[in-house]
Amino acid sequence: MDVVETWTGRSACLLQQAMRMTNEAFAEHLGISERTISRWHASPEMIHRTEVQQILDIAHREAKDDVRHRFALLLRPPAPRVEAQALRVAIAVVVRGDDILLVCRRGDGELRWQFPAGMVKPGADPSTVAVQETHGETGVHCTIREQLGERVHPVTGVVASYYLSDHLAGDASNRDPLENVDVTWVPRAALTRFIPADQIFPPILSALEAIA
């Protein structure tokens, strides 16, 4: 049997709920006034006097098994609510001089050119994922220059975080042939030949235009 170390207004009212008694019936059962029961409902954090603690101990101890079982279930704190998290990807726009790094992705029976990207697991840092996935997909080492913003991707519906990145080392190669068909550097001026302009996050185009 669970033991209640300290009875509060809340736990006493939960015992009443487990017994399925009205305020009047619970007051009569405990031998106290109905007004006192009402105060317990109004002040769930109150701690009862020693003599009331003893009265509640006896009521709990003498309750039927099904009452004590219901009380134990009611007394447990509610499980923390787990919020569903939207799928998130981190996308690296890697610049090497006048060139931009692209991968040609398989999917939906079509081939699509896009920037290197990776899924962000809960708790992971998107910028770190962008750097790691770029190297994992293409063999290119890069460093983040700045975050360009976020949006809900118009094609995939996932939350996309974009990072303007600088090439550090490594030649582009297809290191993920199951997902990608090809990896290449394309001139900035030719980017919209590979990805339609209306599908490119506008801050990307603005940032690339600003690069000297």
Side-chain angles (χ1 to χ4, degrees), residues 107-130:
D108 301 329
E110 298 182 11
L111 300 178
R112 291 193 179 93
W113 287 97
Q114 63 181 58
F115 305 104
M119 193 69 66
V120 181
K121 296 180 180 179
D125 175 45
S127 63
T128 300
V129 172

Side-chain angles (χ1 to χ4, degrees), residues 1-147:
M1 181 179 67
D2 293 333
V3 175
V4 179
E5 293 185 3
T6 302
W7 287 96
T8 63
R10 173 182 176 273
S11 55
C13 292
L14 291 179
L15 180 60
Q16 175 190 355
Q17 184 178 343
M19 290 181 168
R20 296 176 176 167
M21 290 183 173
T22 64
N23 284 7
E24 181 180 2
F26 193 46
E28 182 178 352
H29 181 74
L30 297 179
I32 58 179
S33 71
E34 185 178 348
R35 181 180 297 175
T36 298
I37 303 298
S38 297
R39 283 203 303 270
W40 296 354
H41 284 277
S43 304
E45 302 303 322
M46 69 176 294
I47 297 177
H48 299 302
R49 302 189 309 275
T50 301
E51 56 268 29
V52 178
Q53 297 275 343
Q54 294 172 346
I55 291 172
L56 290 167
D57 282 340
I58 294 171
H60 179 236
R61 184 170 61 249
E62 295 181 349
K64 295 181 179 179
D65 289 344
D66 60 331
V67 171
R68 289 202 299 267
H69 180 66
R70 281 196 298 270
F71 175 70
L73 293 176
L74 292 168
L75 194 62
R76 293 172 186 168
R81 183 178 177 182
V82 178
E83 299 289 345
Q85 293 192 351
L87 291 177
R88 180 180 295 273
V89 297
I91 299 172
V93 182
V94 184
V95 178
R96 185 190 66 178
D98 288 329
D99 295 333
I100 307 297
L101 182 63
L102 295 182
V103 298
C104 187
R105 187 87 72 192
R106 306 176 193 271
D108 301 329
E110 298 182 11
L111 300 178
R112 291 193 179 93
W113 287 97
Q114 63 181 58
F115 305 104
M119 193 69 66
V120 181
K121 296 180 180 179
D125 175 45
S127 63
T128 300
V129 172
V131 170
Q132 291 175 342
E133 289 296 322
T134 296
H135 180 257
E137 283 191 307
T138 70
V140 169
H141 293 277
C142 67
T143 184
I144 301 297
R145 180 187 298 191
E146 63 176 304
Q147 183 175 5

